[in-house]
Amino acid sequence: MSASNPVRVGVIGTGGMGTRHALNIHRYVGGATLAGVFDVDVPRATKVAAEGGGAVVFPTPEALIADDRVDAVLIASPDEMHAGMVRACLAAGKPVLCEKPLATSVAEATAIVEAEVALGRRLIAVGYMRRFDAAHLAVKAVADSGEIGAPVMFKGVHRNAEADYGITPAAVVVNSAGHDLDSARWMTGEEVVSARVFGLRTRDDLHPVTRDLLLINLVLSHGRHAVTEMDVNAGYGYEVSAELVCQAGTAHTGQTDRVIVRGHANRGTPVAADWLDPFQEAYVAEIHDWIGSIVAGRPFAGASAWDGLATALTAAACIESIATGGEARALPGVVPGGDVRRRAQRGPLAALRPATLLCGEGALRTAGRRYAIGGGGGGCGQPGGRSSAAATGRSAATGRSAAAGASPATHACGAARATATFGARRRRARRPSRSTTTRISRTTMAPTRAASRS
Ligand code: ISE
């Protein structure tokens, strides 16, 4: 595919996000055209198709995915429909950029990773657009350079103006805080070990089930931490910021404000109503890279299916923590020698073994951080093809081994909790006790004893 032979993209879902993507493809992404759209709201889809250069309006998502006039698919449908549509794209052998989340349950996310591995081609990209935001990339670059030491803590603030009445804690975690869960992993290069989340209801007139202010605490591998304030009823507008507290300094995205306005006896900066404008450049960069990855046959630089699964696991722990009030392990059951290892050895996840995931405190950790599908060789959780300190499993600042003490041969883990569904079940009974899992020494940052479960 080339400028004269562009990638023909079909967009499923023409709500706010899908419309933005569709028109971005039409207007700003060289090498791609908007070939088709689908939406249950046919007049809306028809309008976007016309504004997008005369794209075909398909009657069903299945028709769009199967059609020969569509080379690649962008999914921007409601969250719970993502997994099935991604699977359909895999079945059709078409590259897919799925808006976050990849899936709304660990079971679905696991099945998707397994299907991609079985296919042997890396076709899935997940739309965590902050990975393409200049400010987030700049903060990560400072940390990766080691000039202010290694990151010890991620601090996120994520606010939405207003949430739907009756929004559930699970929806807030999966749909909104998923960004922060992904950022914590991506920016620190660590994996999530456990979650402790306080869910607050900020006003009495909200639905009793609502927890609109989440205080999210994540324990990361190697004794690192992440804290995030997720407020979906901030009342005033949309804001996101991320800070990496490092060993010898901090790096912060600041706010996305670009103008100072003086007037009406005031000096200030406007706050955006939603995420579409603040992250417009990131959305374009994301699709640009996605199209480039399809044309060049290289891995997408953003989140992979594996990252989608990792976020699903963390989200499930957050939801469990809100429900129980306690700490929830992000990877319960993933212990060296545990059932996941056995599964990984005989099932489709066996293909991940060369890229073996190491478990310290149950965290995912790759040796060399590769999960190679079809020779794609992109980093697990790392922008594919880029080399970074984390991509080599080594901190630039400390030179410590990311998986010190763990052996790829004996510490394989993969997709845990394949049967879990967000918020639906309690897994405490099946979870190994803390005494059976590897502990991380806070001083050496290395696992101090191997777990004995098998
Ligand atoms: C939305 O889908 C987003 O991606 C926004 O970044 C997030 O702030 C919002 O809560 C989500 O609904």
Side-chain angles (χ1 to χ4, degrees):
M1 281 160 247
S2 62
S4 56
N5 189 15
V7 178
R8 298 164 302 172
V9 181
V11 174
I12 300 177
T14 54
M17 193 70 255
T19 296
R20 179 64 66 120
H21 282 312
L23 298 182
N24 279 346
I25 289 166
H26 175 60
R27 292 172 184 157
Y28 307 121
V29 182
T33 55
L34 181 69
V37 295
F38 163 80
D39 198 286
V40 283
D41 184 337
V42 177
R44 184 166 74 177
T46 305
K47 184 165 180 281
V48 173
E51 280 179 35
V56 177
V57 178
F58 285 93
T60 63
E62 293 78 16
L64 181 149
I65 292 168
D67 200 282
D68 283 345
R69 291 167 292 177
V70 171
D71 302 314
V73 179
L74 192 154
I75 297 172
S77 56
D79 292 0
E80 57 280 4
M81 302 174 78
H82 289 185
M85 291 176 175
V86 169
R87 294 287 298 276
C89 291
L90 287 183
K94 293 192 179 176
V96 52
L97 171 57
C98 179
E99 255 304 327
K100 55 82 213 165
L102 174 64
T104 54
S105 77
V106 171
E108 289 171 331
T110 303
I112 288 171
V113 169
E114 289 180 338
E116 193 187 51
V117 170
L119 193 65
R121 289 171 63 201
R122 192 159 171 171
L123 291 180
I124 301 170
V126 185
Y128 285 110
M129 80 301 189
R130 291 184 196 173
R131 290 177 181 237
F132 293 91
D133 173 60
H136 284 76
L137 284 164
V139 167
K140 180 168 161 48
V142 169
D144 285 350
S145 76
E147 68 187 78
I148 54 171
V152 294
M153 180 165 70
F154 166 88
K155 282 171 77 175
V157 173
H158 184 175
R159 298 185 185 134
N160 288 180
E162 190 180 16
D164 290 345
Y165 182 76
I167 191 168
T168 64
V172 176
V173 169
V174 174
N175 183 270
S176 299
H179 281 296
D180 309 283
L181 307 182
D182 179 69
S183 291
R185 284 182 68 242
W186 168 62
M187 295 184 81
T188 62
E190 301 290 344
E191 296 295 346
V192 180
V193 175
S194 64
R196 177 99 200 248
V197 183
F198 297 96
L200 312 179
R201 193 165 64 107
T202 60
R203 299 196 318 259
D204 289 344
D205 62 330
L206 297 174
H207 192 286
V209 80
T210 294
R211 299 290 176 269
D212 51 335
L213 175 57
L214 304 183
L215 308 177
I216 302 172
N217 291 270
L218 304 178
V219 176
L220 307 179
S221 45
H222 300 97
R224 305 326 198 190
H225 281 261
V227 293
T228 291
E229 171 206 316
M230 172 78 250
D231 185 352
V232 290
N233 265 328
Y236 68 90
Y238 175 81
E239 275 187 299
V240 161
S241 69
E243 180 175 13
L244 283 180
V245 177
C246 299
Q247 289 162 324
T250 85
H252 194 279
T253 57
Q255 300 295 332
T256 48
D257 311 318
R258 288 171 194 182
V259 60
I260 295 178
V261 179
R262 293 179 173 84
H264 307 289
N266 242 313
R267 180 181 60 212
T269 55
V271 174
D274 65 27
W275 46 93
L276 295 177
D277 286 346
F279 282 108
Q280 162 66 3
E281 286 163 25
Y283 289 124
V284 173
E286 177 180 80
I287 295 188
H288 196 265
D289 186 82
W290 178 53
I291 296 298
S293 73
I294 295 169
V295 172
R298 61 159 172 81
F300 174 58
S304 65
W306 188 265
D307 296 312
L309 171 58
T311 298
L313 287 160
T314 308
C318 291
I319 293 163
E320 180 178 334
S321 174
I322 295 167
T324 63
E327 185 177 5
R329 294 183 63 79
L331 295 169
V334 179
V335 292
D339 49 349
V340 170
R341 189 186 70 172
R342 283 202 294 277
R343 216 172 131 230
Q345 282 172 340
R346 51 162 206 266
L349 287 174
L352 294 175
R353 279 203 294 142
T356 301
L357 299 167
L358 306 179
C359 303
E361 279 277 329
L364 295 171
R365 169 64 61 188
T366 58
R369 296 182 71 80
R370 277 173 182 278
Y371 105 92
I373 291 180
C380 169
Q382 297 299 319
R386 288 187 200 167
S387 76
S388 71
T392 59
R394 199 160 271 281
S395 154
T398 63
R400 68 181 157 78
S401 164
S407 140
T410 55
H411 292 65
C413 65
R417 294 197 305 188
T419 56
T421 300
F422 286 136
R425 301 183 199 168
R426 297 278 178 278
R427 290 158 294 266
R428 200 166 289 280
R430 283 190 283 122
R431 206 174 301 157
S433 75
R434 269 187 166 272
S435 62
T436 62
T437 58
T438 305
R439 293 197 189 290
I440 306 275
S441 153
R442 299 288 179 234
T443 48
T444 63
M445 300 292 181
T448 54
R449 97 187 166 77
S452 55
R453 265 171 69 100
S454 62

